[in-house]
Amino acid sequence: MLVTRFDPFKQFRNLEKSLYEYPSNEGVSGFVPVVNTREGEFAYHIDVDLPGVNKKDIKVDIHKDILTISGERKTKEEIKEDDYYKIETSFGKFSRSFNLPENADLENIEASGENGVLEVVVPKLSEEKHKKIIEIK
């Protein structure tokens, strides 16, 4: 008898995988950068792996408390021979969006890139700036 363990999140993982599937073009799939997020004491950090992407091809926008990182990884010129040819590197346009929390300091967000990793730092507002006192009339 085969015993299988019930996994209540299996359908969610399958759905998530299907969201990141792109139509292939000659065996090359769309580029989806890997993102790591973390919360520090004074800021939120978003690290985006963008190997082979020029800084001038990256755009960071904020609209209605949504931070969007977009850009394009361009293909390199390659020599095609009559022999076997295969490309495993993905290229193309990408876009990743993040809902910012209420205590995010939208005026002081910084982005920097080094060694193929873009780091976006979203400072937190201090409790006094974040606190809103409502006057009773």
Side-chain angles (χ1 to χ4, degrees), residues 120-133:
V120 179
V121 179
V122 182
K124 294 180 180 179
L125 291 171
S126 65
E127 286 296 320
E128 290 119 23
K129 291 181 183 177
H130 182 63
K131 189 189 259 185
K132 185 175 181 180
I133 299 175

Side-chain angles (χ1 to χ4, degrees), residues 103-128:
N103 66 340
D105 185 357
L106 303 180
E107 302 298 322
N108 295 307
I109 294 175
E110 295 180 359
S112 62
E114 187 176 334
N115 297 327
V117 177
L118 174 72
E119 181 181 19
V120 179
V121 179
V122 182
K124 294 180 180 179
L125 291 171
S126 65
E127 286 296 320
E128 290 119 23

